[in-house]
Amino acid sequence: MNGYGGNILRVNLTTGKIAKEPTPPELARDFLGGRGFGAYFLFQEVPQGADPLGPENKLIISSGPLSGLLIPGAGKCDFACKSPLTGGYAGASLGGHLTAEIKYAGLDSIILEGISPKPVYLFIDDDRIELRDAASLWGKGAITVEKALKDQLGEEFQIACVGPGAENGVRYAHINHDYGRQAGRGGVGTVMGAKKVKALAIRGTRAIPVADLDAYRRAARNLYDACKQSELLKPWQNLGTTMVVSWCDEVGALPTRNFSAGSFEGGKTLYGPVMREQIVVTDKGCFGCPSPCGKYSRTKRYGTNVEGPEYETIGMIGSNLGIANIEDVAQINFLCDEWGVDTISAGGAIAWAMECYEKGILTKAETGGLDLKFGNVEAVLTLIPQIAKREGLGALLAEGTRRAARALGKGSEKFAIEVKGMEQSAYATHSATAMLLAYMTADVGAHHNRAWAITYDLQVGRELVNADKVARVIWLQHIRPMFDTLGACRLQWVELNIDLELYPPALAAITGVERSWRDLELVSERIWNLTRMYWVREVPGFGRAWDMPPQRFYAEPPKTGVTAGKITSLDDVNKLLDLYYEQRGWDANGLPKPETLKRLGLDKLVA
Ligand code: SF4
């Protein structure tokens, strides 16, 4: 099949059986690849009510039809499973070089099933596929393990591995790759750890069949030329996502002290140019990327090397914890990477604990003697390993903010900044209604990657609530995740502003199938509704209440910064949801209507 590896690999960890089956052409037609394959296999194959940490859950690792080809940033890999953090759909995207090797090994998806009786790593060298003993790697940090496997197997092998956080069941453990790129959200690493899989090591040497080589070359050149000619390339490459820090601070979107404000008085010390000057050593990019946003840094104070920190990490473990020094943020980032926990969820959980401590809800006896005030760097440096090992207060925070708040009680639930059980990523959404709606309705929980709508809020009026704003959020929720379906980076479109219409000719030349953006949007809408139906199936009583934002955003206006005193009313929150459900073809409780499922060809699949 042109553009595809051609096979699905199943690895039964319980029995040790390894088998390949051809990638079904109708699966490629209806779900394309990447995120689409992950959602399909999860819905079809993981039985209703499966324990996320049990043998019935599956970890589905998928490339897309653009992955591994000469398309800007064609290094995106999708990880899907039932989330141990939320109990619903988990889908996490990983950049780097792994997905290219998956394709070169002749694969489109790798499905990990069952649970291994002992720690293993999955070794793939084209057709040589083995489960190898990982006893000597178990217990070691994710960055350390990646280096050890590269030293042992050779640089050509691409490694994805988990840290102690995943081994110990932290509900937001990540999967590390390329020394600091992560499939971070929803506990995909936790599921890999529960399966006793420490790492994947993959090398492939096969060519990917392409339908029309000349047209492919032309389409690829057009894409790269557009990137090169973009006047936004230089500033983007210089700062990467950290260019957003100062902007967010100025517009009141920088999460500050558990999202109690959107501007940080110490913010300037975290700005991109300061970081570039103080700690960045070099730029770093994913497979085929013409605009590397990765920044590799070295801290003087701690003597550690780390990829990042990127914007989300700066927001969540910098300003959101009241920490104003970029070296400290980089060191906390390094600890999260090595111990194997998601910086966004860890930052959210610690910020919640800090607010509880400052309000006297969490006592010093309960923190194990830690003075958990906002800004206390030493306390955070102590807490990250504690979370990964589930020791002391870390055992509570390892459960994620929603579970931790329910366990602690005493009104602490209203400081839990999460939706559907996932900690909100780094945009303060006081009165920014499109971004608020994007977080409320994202299909994994409060994550920005599905629809980054904050710039649209600023463009049309942040407090505005109308059908056009809702339509924009839905459009973004279809276009942005389509890149995770195709297996390529969306940031050349988002940040360099290259024309979306440059992609369909490339996809057609590669696969031999013409697909317009209208057609691709329809595929995205199909996937969106399938993941929604997964929530409906797995979470008893699922509906509108799961789309409500944290109380803070409609009941507690910030006291400082440019958003001081501003809020989205509860009436407007409900109006946003009403408009959203109507435009999506869902009922008033947020459940897809039968005619919507039929229109998308999902009626039989979800029956
Ligand atoms: Fe990777 Fe950044 Fe390049 Fe995208 S822009 S491919 S995330 S390095």
Side-chain angles (χ1 to χ4, degrees), residues 72-73 76 95-96 181 236 284-287 289 291-294 489 491-492:
K76 290 287 177 183
R181 292 257 158 195
W236 170 251
K284 185 166 174 279
C286 306
F287 176 91
C289 178
S291 51
C293 70
C489 181
L491 293 177
Q492 288 75 29

Side-chain angles (χ1 to χ4, degrees), residues 202-213:
I202 307 177
R203 177 172 70 174
T205 60
R206 289 197 181 91
I208 301 168
V210 164
D212 182 339
L213 208 52

Side-chain angles (χ1 to χ4, degrees), residues 176 182 221 229 238 363 446-447 558 576 578 591 594:
N176 162 73
Q182 281 92 21
R221 181 170 289 280
Q229 285 155 14
N238 186 36
T363 65
H447 192 37
L576 283 167
D578 288 341
L591 308 191

